[in-house]
Amino acid sequence: MEHITINPNAPTALLDVVQEIILDHNNVRDLFARYIRATDINEKQAIVNTILREIAVHGETENNSVYQRMDEKNMKPLADHSREEHQEVEEALLKLGSMDVQNQPAHDKQLMEVMRLFQEHGDEEEMDILLKLQSQLTTEMSNQLALDFLNIREKLSQMPPPSSVQVGPIAQKLLAVLMERQSLGFVDLRYQHPANSITGRSMKFEMPLLT
């Protein structure tokens, strides 16, 4: 699979790594809202599969690109904090991956816990950590980091991902679950990379209640 490249003739040639990260966050928020609205159990299963994939891929992509750059920019304490939060989310996600969507009360309770942890992490990144990172990057540096982010994300989205990309032990287990669930399907994402000024904008999100 080819690396993502920029069209030099496009009106806006440079990417913003913060907007690419926010786009991923928005896709997970949108997927959860779609899960709430869905009534068909097969559709719910496909949406949950996609939530598992998107959170796992997003977290490992940040680990392999953004957090490494933060380490280099004397932001290691913030990067380590984000890594710890990702691990919490992935542990909750792994538990969700072991549950049957048809056992809805228990399954949906765990899904709510995953989304609570993910939302808290996403909010903190968007309102604090990413702003601090952005202040340390030139436009060109942000563009390069965005390309790194997207190229790694593309590799991690393959089933299985290539061995050239480092994947943590919990994420490896999550990807194994996804390999087993491929026949159950996934759903399309609402927002697509590369981001633009509309799809990259942070969504206002309030946790809906599962009934």
Side-chain angles (χ1 to χ4, degrees):
M1 190 174 291
E2 296 181 355
H3 285 302
I4 296 170
T5 57
I6 294 177
N7 177 3
N9 298 316
T12 303
L14 298 181
L15 299 176
D16 180 349
V17 66
V18 171
Q19 296 305 312
E20 301 304 329
I21 294 169
I22 291 174
L23 185 145
D24 273 2
H25 293 174
N26 286 345
N27 268 325
V28 174
R29 292 164 179 145
D30 176 68
L31 286 165
F32 182 61
R34 288 157 67 181
Y35 180 89
I36 300 297
R37 295 193 301 267
T39 55
D40 179 77
I41 197 69
N42 293 324
E43 181 182 3
K44 282 183 173 289
Q45 180 67 74
I47 293 171
V48 169
N49 292 347
T50 311
I51 290 173
L52 287 168
R53 183 192 69 195
E54 289 304 301
I55 294 180
V57 167
H58 174 75
E60 292 305 301
T61 300
E62 283 192 316
N63 285 338
N64 281 278
S65 57
V66 177
Y67 297 158
Q68 290 181 9
R69 180 55 60 89
M70 289 172 66
D71 289 342
E72 298 167 2
K73 291 292 181 181
N74 296 319
M75 298 176 65
K76 183 172 173 54
L78 286 176
D80 286 344
H81 173 69
S82 291
R83 290 182 180 107
E84 290 171 3
E85 289 189 337
H86 268 298
Q87 183 170 334
E88 279 189 275
V89 176
E90 288 180 349
E91 287 173 350
L93 203 62
L94 187 60
K95 183 176 180 180
L96 178 66
S98 69
M99 303 175 78
D100 189 342
V101 71
Q102 298 195 52
N103 183 13
Q104 280 195 260
H107 177 277
D108 289 357
K109 181 179 179 181
Q110 184 61 25
L111 177 57
M112 285 289 291
E113 176 63 8
V114 167
M115 288 304 304
R116 181 188 68 80
L117 292 169
F118 180 82
Q119 183 63 20
E120 288 176 356
H121 168 71
D123 285 349
E124 184 177 15
E125 278 199 337
E126 293 173 17
M127 292 186 290
D128 181 31
I129 294 173
L130 293 178
L131 297 178
K132 291 175 179 175
L133 173 63
Q134 196 170 44
S135 71
Q136 299 292 315
L137 301 175
T138 65
T139 302
E140 291 75 17
M141 291 166 65
S142 179
N143 176 71
Q144 185 56 57
L145 186 54
L147 288 173
D148 292 344
F149 178 89
L150 293 177
N151 285 328
I152 293 170
R153 189 186 192 286
E154 183 181 28
K155 292 176 182 177
L156 284 166
S157 297
Q158 299 172 31
M159 294 289 171
S163 59
S164 59
V165 182
Q166 292 184 350
V167 179
I170 300 175
Q172 287 180 3
K173 293 178 182 179
L174 285 169
L175 293 174
V177 169
L178 289 169
M179 289 285 290
E180 295 173 358
R181 289 187 173 198
Q182 284 194 87
S183 62
L184 299 177
F186 299 89
V187 297
D188 291 336
L189 300 176
R190 180 177 181 184
Y191 305 115
Q192 300 295 324
H193 295 284
N196 59 43
S197 60
I198 297 176
T199 59
R201 194 173 298 153
S202 182
M203 294 169 59
K204 182 178 179 182
F205 180 82
E206 294 180 2
M207 186 76 77
L209 296 176
L210 285 163
T211 57

